């Protein structure tokens, strides 16, 4: 009887301890379960230095049959990229931070296929901090990346583009601007369900002119959103309005909440973030853009608002179609933009890229004939030469895909568009793989170097 009472007492004690949360498997000699840290929770400093994520990455193998892997690198002084690689390593080790990358260019960048793939690869390996900068390209009657939409019922938008000799309205951070005199202004921002999967956001920063009417969020629960209207210009005449949500969303409805100021309702774009650590990859491209179109101090000052750790500049194709294309003059144009970028972005790592070879259309006996564009190689040489002189890393897409005559290889592989200047979506994805592969090779070299073995996490 006494033995039964003791057994009953032990059972009651175990039940009581379990209810209080004090009984666990380790009381029975079993191994305690390991609690994995949440992705958004930084690891303790000691854990970070030992994190296996600090190991080198394995870059994706491109399917392009004619690329030269030994040339798929960032040429120049590897030390120039060390600040950027150090930040990436810290992210891999769990540091709660956001790294901003800007990719500036022409139509090869505007379509978003190349940069969109690079963005997703960065997010896979280093964390997704959000979609980043989006601009109302379709409202200027041009093509937009396929992972978002910006719509408006306003129909009288004036469209300014950086490529216009006299823009119809000032251009902003994304190389374009839209202005209206409508009394009621609205915009709808939508992340595409399929192509934009994984890019929900809980904060949107609207870039606008200081005299433009602020836009507030609507169509959402009032207690779940907060709009902070910018009061002072953050750069020249640019003001930022910030909309914050208490949860992730893929849709944002904006409308004016006061009588718009006449003539000055000028908007430039939005920066979408999700509050998580990782990489923000901002893609800025304008069809027809050349180096001279971005060589403006007012524009570069706006670019600095994105605080890029890395700025990749990809242009040169459009210049090669000029009747008076001159290598020396072109190199000077590249140098002037580089000078401005270094002045206003002194802490940003620059990377120059060369354009791939393309065709040019000519008329022979009144019939269209496509011929290899020899100026592409000249432009690529000028860019690579300047990069070497200035100590700027260069990603030489022209050489790594075969150099002179490579346009025929692109064509034979079925990777050119109709105009034989632009490429198919798949071709741009392959170019994105090549760019990321070169960056990862450099990153792996940094990780494996003795200099990187101490103090990666700050």
């Amino acid at each position: 009887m006494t033995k039964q009472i003791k057994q009953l007492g032990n059972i009651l004690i175990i039940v009581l301890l379990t209810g209080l949360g004090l009984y666990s498997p380790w009381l029975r000699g079993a191994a305690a379960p390991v609690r994995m840290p949440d992705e958004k929770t930084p690891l303790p400093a000691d854990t970070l230095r030992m994190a296996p994520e600090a190991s080198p990455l394995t870059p994706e193998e491109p399917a392009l049959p004619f690329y030269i892997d030994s040339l798929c690198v960032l040429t120049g002084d590897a030390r120039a990229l060390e600040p950027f690689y150090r930040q990436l390593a810290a992210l891999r080790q769990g540091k709660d931070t956001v790294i901003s990358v800007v990719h500036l260019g022409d139509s090869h960048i505007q379509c978003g296929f190349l940069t969109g793939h690079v963005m997703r690869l960065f997010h896979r390996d280093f964390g997704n901090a959000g979609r980043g900068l989006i601009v109302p390209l379709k409202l200027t009657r041009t093509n937009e990346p396929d992972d978002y939409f910006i719509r408006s019922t306003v129909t009288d938008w004036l469209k300014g583009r950086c490529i216009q000799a006299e823009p119809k309205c000032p251009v902003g951070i994304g190389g374009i601007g839209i202005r209206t005199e409508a009394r009621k202004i609205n915009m709808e921002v939508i992340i595409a369900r399929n192509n934009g999967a994984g890019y929900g956001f809980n904060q949107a920063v609207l870039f606008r002119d200081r005299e433009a009417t602020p836009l507030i969020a609507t169509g959402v629960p009032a207690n779940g959103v907060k709009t902070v209207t910018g009061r002072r210009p953050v750069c020249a005449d640019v003001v930022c309005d910030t909309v914050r949500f208490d949860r992730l969303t893929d849709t944002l409805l904006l409308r004016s909440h006061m009588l718009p100021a006449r003539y000055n309702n000028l908007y430039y774009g939005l920066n979408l973030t999700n509050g998580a650590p990782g990489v923000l990859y901002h893609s800025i491209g304008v069809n027809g853009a050349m180096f001279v179109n971005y060589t403006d101090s007012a524009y570069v000052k706006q670019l600095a608002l994105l605080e890029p750790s890395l700025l990749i500049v990809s242009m040169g194709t459009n210049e090669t179609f000029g009747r008076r294309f001159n290598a020396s003059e072109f190199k000077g144009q590249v140098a002037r933009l580089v000078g401005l970028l270094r002045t206003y972005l002194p802490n940003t790592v620059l990377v120059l890229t060369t354009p791939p070879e393309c065709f040019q259309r000519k008329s022979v006996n009144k019939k269209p004939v496509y011929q290899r564009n020899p100026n592409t190689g000249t432009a690529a040489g000028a860019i690579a030469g300047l990069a070497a002189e200035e100590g700027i890393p260069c990603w030489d897409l022209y050489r790594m895909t075969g150099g002179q005559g490579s346009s025929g290889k692109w064509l034979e592989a079925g990777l050119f568009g109709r105009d034989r200047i632009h490429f198919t979506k798949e071709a741009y994805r392959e170019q994105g793989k090549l760019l990321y592969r070169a960056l990862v090779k450099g990153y792996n070299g940094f990780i494996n170097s003795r200099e990187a073995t101490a103090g990666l996490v700050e």
Side-chain angles (χ1 to χ4, degrees), residues 47-170:
T47 306
L48 295 178
R49 290 189 176 88
M50 298 299 293
E53 290 83 0
S55 60
L57 299 170
T58 302
E60 184 177 2
E61 183 72 34
L64 203 63
F66 51 86
Y67 91 97
I68 304 169
D69 191 49
S70 61
L71 299 179
C72 186
V73 294
L74 292 169
T75 62
D77 188 352
R79 291 174 297 180
L81 281 154
E82 283 186 3
F84 177 63
Y85 292 149
R86 189 174 297 277
Q87 289 179 301
L88 290 179
L91 267 179
R92 290 281 293 179
Q93 294 174 302
K95 186 175 182 180
D96 188 4
T97 188
V98 173
I99 300 174
S100 176
V101 178
V102 172
H103 200 146
L104 184 69
D106 48 28
S107 54
H108 296 308
I109 303 305
Q110 178 174 326
C111 63
F113 299 135
L114 188 162
T115 52
H117 194 62
V118 178
M119 175 180 70
R120 286 166 177 79
L121 292 173
F122 264 116
H123 290 168
R124 179 195 67 188
D125 292 335
F126 298 100
N128 172 10
R131 176 55 180 81
L133 183 70
I134 63 172
V135 292
L137 291 164
K138 281 192 175 178
L139 295 184
T140 69
R141 303 297 175 89
T142 187
N143 60 298
E144 210 166 58
D146 62 4
D147 60 348
Y148 72 87
F149 307 94
I150 300 181
R151 301 169 177 167
S152 175
T153 59
V154 176
T155 58
D156 68 341
W157 292 108
L158 290 176
K159 303 98 178 174
R161 298 188 184 97
C162 65
I163 62 169
Q164 296 169 335
E166 296 182 5
K168 296 180 180 179
C169 69

Side-chain angles (χ1 to χ4, degrees), residues 14 34 36 76 106 123 154 167 226 273 346 387 409:
I14 291 174
V34 177
M36 296 302 293
D106 48 28
H123 290 168
V154 176
K226 180 179 180 180
T273 58
K409 297 176 182 178

